[in-house]
Amino acid sequence: ANEIIVGDAPPINITDPLYRGFIAKLIDCFFDPDYSGDVPRQTVVCYLASFVSRSTYVCPETVCECIAALLRWTEIYISAHRGTATATASGGKLRRHSSAPAALGSTKHLCEVHTLFYTACQAAYYIMCFRGYEAVKYYRLACAHKDDNESPYADPESVDIGPKRWRQLCGHELQPLKYCLESVRHEFLLLADELNLFFEAQDLDDAESEIQLDAEKKFIKSLWDSSEMKDSNGKEKNMKRPTGRRRSRIISTAATQEKKRLDGGVGGLGRGSNPLNSFFPFDPYLLQQSFLHVNPYYRNWEDCILTVDDEDKETGVVLNDDSSLEEISDREQEDGQDSDSDDGIEETNTSKKSPHSRKGI
């Protein structure tokens, strides 16, 4: 048999790239409530997010599957813990309703009670910060070809990173954006605004689309407002809100990256307040000797700060325009046919399907 079973997930074809099996194993460990306790599971999901984000060879389909799996876990968690905790007026504390013995009147911070939930949310946001543009593009193309029996894209359900899931998670009363790494929160909200991540654009006329877009802008503003950290007096800290994604002022080359490592490491998202005390093992990559071997497969932060305008220049179409999806797909298929005729050229990073049937992570 050419298939392996990972927990309750669909079987994986062992002829797939090795990294897919590795990612499936990480997801399986995180999903398993009996896997060594919460702290190891937190470590696993942080490693997963860092690996998927930084590895240049992980294809967009796998990125979407990984994010979809994390979103699915958070939805199950929310459903299972509905009504089990009551927030107090202090805004940061809650009383935990549990059968376990506890001191009378004891309270725990939200981060202590729902650590695993917040870590999973942060992992999904983090991956989107690095791979969001290509992930959203792949998902929308998969939806556009869902009725095509010869579609080169995965089943939309297996890569579902649609607006409804993001709205449900980000707008939940547990406020997951508030309790993740500050730089991740900022970058994700900027990305969401740029990509209209919360906007459902199906079967709407111009007037309805305008109303929905306006509602999305208000929703994003509410997320900014509700996720800002407060001081001990309950007042919002006076912090300047970023107006655009952080870009490098110089062109990223091997020489500039080497200089950064010598000066203390290449850049990433590990900045600002960190309520979960979490880390991402490849952000930044500080091992100078081994980086010589890792560099060809390592995604630098500066190289993935795109905007919709950047994506438009690369593809020649508007990323947010659903009518252009067909054009992108046709162009990718033509490019794939051209590359097949080039002798001696091997693709190392592609979103095209394997000739073998892929069952999903």
Side-chain angles (χ1 to χ4, degrees):
N2 287 333
E3 295 179 344
I4 56 176
I5 306 298
V6 182
D8 295 329
I12 294 177
N13 196 308
I14 62 174
T15 56
D16 277 343
L18 181 61
Y19 68 80
R20 284 180 58 80
F22 179 58
I23 290 173
K25 181 62 177 177
L26 292 174
I27 293 175
D28 188 44
C29 290
F30 173 66
F31 272 44
D32 185 1
D34 299 322
Y35 180 74
S36 303
D38 285 358
V39 174
R41 291 172 72 190
Q42 279 183 268
T43 304
V44 164
V45 79
C46 286
Y47 186 96
L48 170 69
S50 195
F51 177 77
V52 171
S53 300
R54 290 291 192 172
S55 301
T56 58
Y57 50 83
V58 175
C59 68
E61 178 184 348
T62 303
V63 173
C64 286
E65 287 179 304
C66 184
I67 298 172
L70 291 172
L71 293 177
R72 184 166 59 251
W73 185 91
T74 61
E75 290 164 355
I76 294 172
Y77 184 95
I78 288 172
S79 178
H81 291 78
R82 185 177 291 118
T84 60
T86 305
T88 67
S90 62
K93 305 284 185 177
L94 57 79
R95 187 181 305 278
R96 188 177 188 183
H97 299 283
S98 171
S99 58
L104 184 63
S106 64
T107 59
K108 287 189 176 184
H109 195 278
L110 281 168
C111 285
E112 295 180 82
V113 179
H114 303 288
T115 305
L116 207 55
F117 169 74
Y118 288 127
T119 305
C121 294
Q122 178 177 255
Y125 299 145
Y126 181 89
I127 296 173
M128 285 294 291
C129 290
F130 279 87
R131 309 293 300 269
Y133 285 92
E134 55 188 308
V136 169
K137 174 183 173 182
Y138 183 91
Y139 169 66
R140 290 173 179 172
L141 284 167
C143 290
H145 290 77
K146 63 181 179 181
D147 297 324
D148 182 2
N149 293 331
E150 298 182 357
S151 170
Y153 302 98
D155 178 5
E157 187 175 346
S158 69
V159 293
D160 185 3
I161 57 171
K164 183 178 180 180
R165 303 190 88 168
W166 289 115
R167 289 186 69 94
Q168 179 180 341
L169 177 62
C170 296
H172 192 266
E173 60 183 6
L174 286 176
Q175 297 179 295
L177 279 166
K178 184 175 183 177
Y179 297 104
C180 69
L181 195 64
E182 180 182 339
S183 54
V184 173
R185 176 172 70 250
H186 288 174
E187 290 293 335
F188 176 79
L189 286 174
L190 291 169
L191 176 89
D193 191 18
E194 184 81 24
L195 286 178
N196 292 334
L197 195 62
F198 304 113
F199 176 63
E200 198 80 56
Q202 296 179 354
D203 302 325
L204 297 177
D205 58 32
D206 291 343
E208 292 174 326
S209 293
E210 200 66 35
I211 294 173
Q212 289 294 327
L213 284 170
D214 183 60
E216 183 198 33
K217 299 296 181 184
K218 291 179 180 178
F219 179 68
I220 292 177
K221 183 181 183 303
S222 73
L223 293 177
W224 277 109
D225 295 339
S226 63
S227 63
E228 291 299 331
M229 300 302 292
K230 298 182 179 180
D231 59 23
S232 57
N233 296 320
K235 296 182 179 180
E236 288 188 4
K237 295 181 179 180
N238 186 21
M239 298 177 63
K240 186 177 180 181
R241 185 174 297 177
T243 56
R245 304 192 72 196
R246 292 189 292 108
R247 290 173 172 268
S248 176
R249 295 177 181 174
I250 58 176
I251 297 174
S252 176
T253 65
T256 59
Q257 292 301 316
E258 177 63 20
K259 185 178 185 303
K260 286 186 178 183
R261 282 190 296 281
L262 293 175
D263 291 341
V266 294
L269 290 181
R271 298 182 176 87
S273 63
N274 186 5
L276 298 172
N277 295 320
S278 54
F279 73 100
F280 298 97
F282 306 124
D283 189 356
Y285 194 96
L286 298 174
L287 305 178
Q288 297 179 19
Q289 294 182 4
S290 63
F291 194 81
L292 176 66
H293 307 285
V294 173
N295 185 46
Y297 314 104
Y298 185 79
R299 185 184 305 274
N300 294 304
W301 167 244
E302 294 89 343
D303 298 334
C304 64
I305 306 302
L306 300 174
T307 67
V308 168
D309 291 337
D310 296 329
E311 186 71 18
D312 294 347
K313 290 176 183 177
E314 287 188 19
T315 62
V317 294
V318 180
L319 182 62
N320 286 331
D321 185 359
D322 290 338
S323 64
S324 300
L325 295 178
E326 194 76 35
E327 182 180 344
I328 301 175
S329 176
D330 293 343
R331 183 176 305 165
E332 288 179 342
Q333 291 179 0
E334 290 176 4
D335 291 342
Q337 292 173 356
D338 292 341
S339 63
D340 289 341
S341 62
D342 294 335
D343 294 335
I345 298 179
E346 180 181 357
E347 292 183 325
T348 57
N349 182 22
T350 176
S351 64
K352 292 193 300 181
K353 274 190 173 294
S354 163
H356 304 282
S357 175
R358 182 174 292 176
K359 299 296 184 180
I361 292 180

